[in-house]
Amino acid sequence: MAEGGPLVRESSLGAAATLHGLAPSSGQQEDASVADAILRLSQLSKRFGQFAAVKEIDLAIHEGEFFTIVGPSGSGKTTLVRMLAGLEDPSGGEILLRGQRINETPANRRPTCMVFQSLALFPHRSVGQNIEFPLKMRGVPPAERRERAHALMRQLRLPEDYYGKQVSQCSGGERQRIALARALAFDPEILFFDEPLSAIDFRLRKTLEKELKDIHRETGKTFVYITHSLEEAMVMSDRIGIMRAGELVQVGAPDEIYSRPANRFVSEFMGEVNVLEVKPNGAGLHCAALDATFQGPEVMEDVAGGYLVIRPEYLRFLGPGETAENQVEGVLYNEYALGSRIQYQVRVGEQVFLVEKLREQRYEGRLDDRVTIGWDARDSVLAPE
Ligand code: ATP
């Protein structure tokens, strides 16, 4: 996992000094949210031959925020972040760091640092040597390096006696912490993370997501993070940008994206959700696939159609005499144990509904039972096409 040499670039302490003398932006009036941006992207593009991997992206990333870029494989996330870190030259547009154009500034002169999925640690050197690497390159004396490495290890919750342990003898989660400690040793202003947790098992990933959020809080640095998973992004981020085919299709706080997905593509990124194609018919939202009309979360007066999105945990099994604003009948087809929760597959005609319950609220019945499931209008979200 941690093969290869150190790809993390040397970075300078003190961005102001490093960037002194760079040409100021030719930008015009900026609004307040753009003015406090640490990084601003203007019409940023990258082409590989004829292929446009990143298409004219405008974005402002704020000082100290945890900004996550989410998108499917090939949507351009890595290319975008590599441009921001100075590892890839843009084909067009501008990257501004505190208002100064840095398009041509090499990676080692930007106050940024990248943490890769492959981590790029020295596997046969000790934890201490890995963390101290950036400090050594800067000529920091050994005693000071050691002190700083121990402080970072404490911050990253690595045991003190790991200082002399070889990285190849550390677990995946520990290596992740070592890589982060080393990145912090660069003392960058912005840390870029390219799917650092994707190779880590589910439980540990959940722990590390929270730790990363804590570390973000403790350090106050700007984090820009890439992931495939909107669920992962939701846990950590102040804001999320959703990418599709080189474009940012929605940027917003997790709650905003969750409650007002810009389109079906975004809503399907929310993980396992139920999505019903609907059209308003005067009485509510008609779903042709089920030949049923449902109540939606809002009036769709000026919307021709869209997708009703219901999270599995908002669906409930209705016993005799119980009702919900929206309900359908189907057959309990299967159940899956997901740790503290159980997920059920209920087939309603051709449509498959996913229902999730806590173990203590599990459905008491058998597979192939005829069941009625329901949800309330306020627990659904309407996404346009
Ligand atoms: P993943 O999640 O799989 O890492 P991504 O969203 O990070 O994907 P990128 O790695 O940025 O996507 O790639 C975007 C597109 O650009 C892909 O179609 C990829 O094949 C293409 N691409 C990336 N690097 C190059 C390159 N050096 N030359 C040609 N095409 C490239």
Side-chain angles (χ1 to χ4, degrees):
M1 185 173 160
E3 294 302 315
L7 290 173
V8 178
R9 302 304 170 106
E10 168 65 317
S11 179
S12 295
L13 281 163
T18 309
L19 296 165
H20 179 76
L22 290 177
S25 151
S26 57
Q28 290 136 21
Q29 281 287 328
E30 297 171 334
D31 65 36
S33 67
V34 168
D36 75 353
I38 185 165
L39 263 188
R40 186 150 72 82
L41 289 48
S42 168
Q43 296 286 293
L44 190 65
S45 310
K46 179 68 189 181
R47 281 182 301 279
F48 294 109
Q50 291 301 303
F51 178 73
V54 173
K55 300 174 189 162
E56 294 164 0
I57 286 188
D58 289 314
L59 175 70
I61 295 175
H62 306 304
E63 183 96 50
E65 91 172 321
F66 197 133
F67 189 91
T68 303
I69 299 164
V70 184
S73 188
S75 57
K77 308 179 294 294
T78 299
T79 306
L80 175 61
V81 165
R82 282 176 60 83
M83 286 193 282
L84 303 184
L87 305 172
E88 193 84 69
D89 290 329
S91 313
E94 282 193 313
I95 307 169
L96 305 172
L97 181 86
R98 297 211 173 86
Q100 292 187 313
R101 183 184 153 100
I102 56 163
N103 285 41
E104 287 79 29
T105 309
N108 62 3
R109 292 193 63 223
R110 296 186 189 193
T112 61
C113 190
M114 188 124 168
V115 182
F116 294 90
Q117 183 186 331
S118 61
L119 304 181
L121 294 168
F122 299 109
H124 303 300
R125 297 217 186 136
S126 69
V127 171
Q129 283 171 324
N130 269 275
I131 298 175
E132 287 179 22
F133 168 73
L135 304 171
K136 196 173 174 184
M137 278 181 47
R138 269 191 215 137
V140 176
E144 198 181 324
R145 289 203 307 257
R146 197 184 166 95
E147 198 179 313
R148 179 88 180 113
H150 277 294
L152 286 164
M153 286 173 65
R154 277 194 296 279
Q155 187 171 21
L156 273 295
R157 299 153 185 80
L158 284 162
E160 202 176 336
D161 58 1
Y162 271 43
Y163 182 83
K165 191 171 178 174
Q166 196 167 301
V167 163
S168 60
Q169 293 164 348
C170 296
S171 72
E174 288 161 356
R175 289 180 200 195
Q176 195 56 59
R177 293 188 182 98
I178 299 161
L180 188 49
R182 187 179 63 178
L184 289 168
F186 281 92
D187 199 25
E189 291 187 70
I190 308 174
L191 277 103
F192 296 111
F193 297 87
D194 191 352
E195 307 226 28
L197 307 183
S198 60
I200 289 175
D201 75 67
F202 180 79
R203 272 192 61 174
L204 181 58
R205 196 164 73 231
K206 292 285 139 200
T207 309
L208 291 174
E209 282 170 6
K210 289 188 190 149
E211 281 186 11
L212 206 53
K213 188 169 180 170
D214 293 345
I215 289 159
H216 172 252
R217 212 181 147 184
E218 282 165 26
T219 59
K221 294 188 185 290
T222 306
F223 281 21
V224 179
Y225 190 95
I226 296 180
T227 175
H228 280 90
S229 158
L230 185 52
E231 279 178 317
E232 181 171 313
M234 295 257 179
V235 175
M236 299 183 288
S237 320
D238 296 314
R239 280 192 312 151
I240 297 170
I242 313 260
M243 271 190 96
R244 174 169 61 173
E247 289 175 300
L248 270 179
V249 291
Q250 187 170 10
V251 176
D255 274 357
E256 235 173 288
I257 293 197
Y258 177 67
S259 56
R260 287 192 299 280
N263 53 35
R264 179 189 188 171
F265 173 82
V266 174
S267 66
E268 287 187 338
F269 247 94
M270 288 174 180
E272 289 192 299
V273 289
N274 298 294
V275 179
L276 301 173
E277 188 172 359
V278 291
K279 273 193 166 60
N281 68 355
L285 300 168
H286 185 252
C287 172
L290 297 172
D291 193 18
T293 297
F294 301 118
Q295 298 311 307
E298 59 208 83
V299 188
M300 290 180 77
E301 275 160 0
D302 47 356
V303 181
Y307 297 88
L308 202 54
V309 183
I310 314 126
R311 286 190 85 92
E313 61 270 29
Y314 288 142
L315 281 164
R316 52 187 195 267
F317 291 98
L318 302 173
E322 287 179 321
T323 56
E325 280 175 85
N326 294 307
Q327 53 191 68
V328 287
E329 268 187 44
V331 173
L332 182 63
Y333 187 76
N334 220 337
E335 72 167 51
Y336 315 95
L338 309 176
S340 60
R341 294 162 298 132
I342 299 178
Q343 189 181 75
Y344 300 91
Q345 198 187 102
V346 175
R347 295 201 168 170
V348 182
E350 297 289 301
Q351 184 83 33
V352 173
F353 281 86
L354 295 176
V355 183
E356 250 174 59
K357 292 287 130 210
L358 290 170
R359 264 181 191 280
E360 54 270 29
Q361 298 164 349
R362 70 182 303 154
Y363 170 75
E364 301 294 345
R366 293 160 170 267
L367 296 186
D368 294 327
D369 277 358
R370 282 206 70 77
V371 292
T372 304
I373 53 175
W375 70 95
D376 292 330
R378 65 166 188 277
D379 292 332
S380 61
V381 169
L382 198 57
E385 176 60 72

